[in-house]
Amino acid sequence: MEKVRKSNLDIARGIAIICIILGHLGIDSVNRVVFTFHVPVFYLIAGYFFNSNAGVPEFLKKKARSLLVPYYLTCLAIIGTSVFRNLILHKGGTVKKLLDLLYAALYGAGDKYVEPFYIPSIGAIWFLWAMFWAECLLYLVLKVNSKWRVLIVAAIFAAGYYSRMLFWFPLSIQAGCCALLFLYIGYLVRKTEASYNKLGKEIKIALAIGAAVVWFLFIRNFVSFWLVHCDIGRGVIDIFGSLCACWCVVLISTLIDLRAKLLSGYLAFLGKYSLFILCAHIFEIRLFRWKQFREFLGGFGVNEFWQIIIVIIIKIIWSSSVAYQLANNEHICKLVGIKKHEQK
């Protein structure tokens, strides 16, 4: 079965990828909002479109091509550029820098760990390995009798959640175990969508208001919700809060799709090519010195608020521009199994 694109879900991914960029600014008031949904919404949408009809070799080949090839190409770009910059600027420790980046790329951890041993961070592209594991796990789960699936998904989620307290396994496999829950829920949403569509308008409005209230309370009482660490804050209540947040984002995306065509086209592009946005962003965050840039702006009297706004604008323009170039490159799109952007 071929995937049929839904523009509102592309818009939701576009909003989410912008929020991932915002979430790396280190602003607590921003993080307590964007961390409620920006990564889970990608897993939910992936589950919604999940297709398990392919054979094992074909499935693994497709997922490796679309997720792992971009991961390692981005790692190579980061390593090559970082080492080249060190050499040009005559900085010391080039070999150590190279080894540290190679270690980070091979380990695939989204954050730095010091216990029980040192693990360097590769950054935001941990998500690609986690998605790979989550999709492989969902593929296996869907081969099992449906009456056992919820129990198996819960067991895998628990394995990822509790094992991270011992130490962090390579290649973000524990994050993939926790992401499986969201993928499976997305898959179930697709299966039950017809029943939801039969509900009356008043019931749908009531459910949407209820979801918005839950999301607001989640933001207000936010403790933590970092899937990169398999940290789900207050447990089931925060998982439910995140699902409500994701649903609200999809509803907002649907309204944008209906009433703001110019904005919807831009966000849909970002969502469709969010893979390229993510890779461009992690490259930028690794190599650009935003702290020094903000100090430079401060030297001209630019206050902190406008420093942040300028940085956000530059980051989004950079990521969008790189994504546009990659999306229009037939060879790159073919390499990672993405359809080339069709200019209108």
Side-chain angles (χ1 to χ4, degrees), residues 200-258:
K201 184 178 180 180
E202 293 81 2
I203 296 176
K204 289 181 180 178
I205 292 174
L207 290 173
I209 293 173
V213 170
V214 171
W215 186 17
F216 171 77
L217 293 174
F218 186 17
I219 293 170
R220 184 178 179 182
N221 302 300
F222 186 82
V223 177
S224 63
F225 200 80
W226 329 115
L227 289 186
V228 63
H229 300 140
C230 298
D231 178 353
I232 55 170
R234 295 168 297 174
V236 174
I237 189 173
D238 280 357
I239 291 174
F240 180 66
S242 181
L243 294 175
C244 289
C246 292
W247 187 20
C248 288
V249 170
V250 171
L251 292 176
I252 292 168
S253 301
T254 303
L255 288 175
I256 292 173
D257 191 31
L258 293 173

Side-chain angles (χ1 to χ4, degrees), residues 10-11 19 31 39 44 69 73 83 115 193 204 210 221 231 244 266 284 288:
D10 277 336
I11 292 168
C19 288
N31 288 355
V39 172
L44 287 167
V69 169
L73 287 177
V83 171
E115 292 182 357
E193 187 176 33
K204 289 181 180 178
N221 302 300
D231 178 353
C244 289
Y266 174 66
E284 154 259 305
F288 293 174

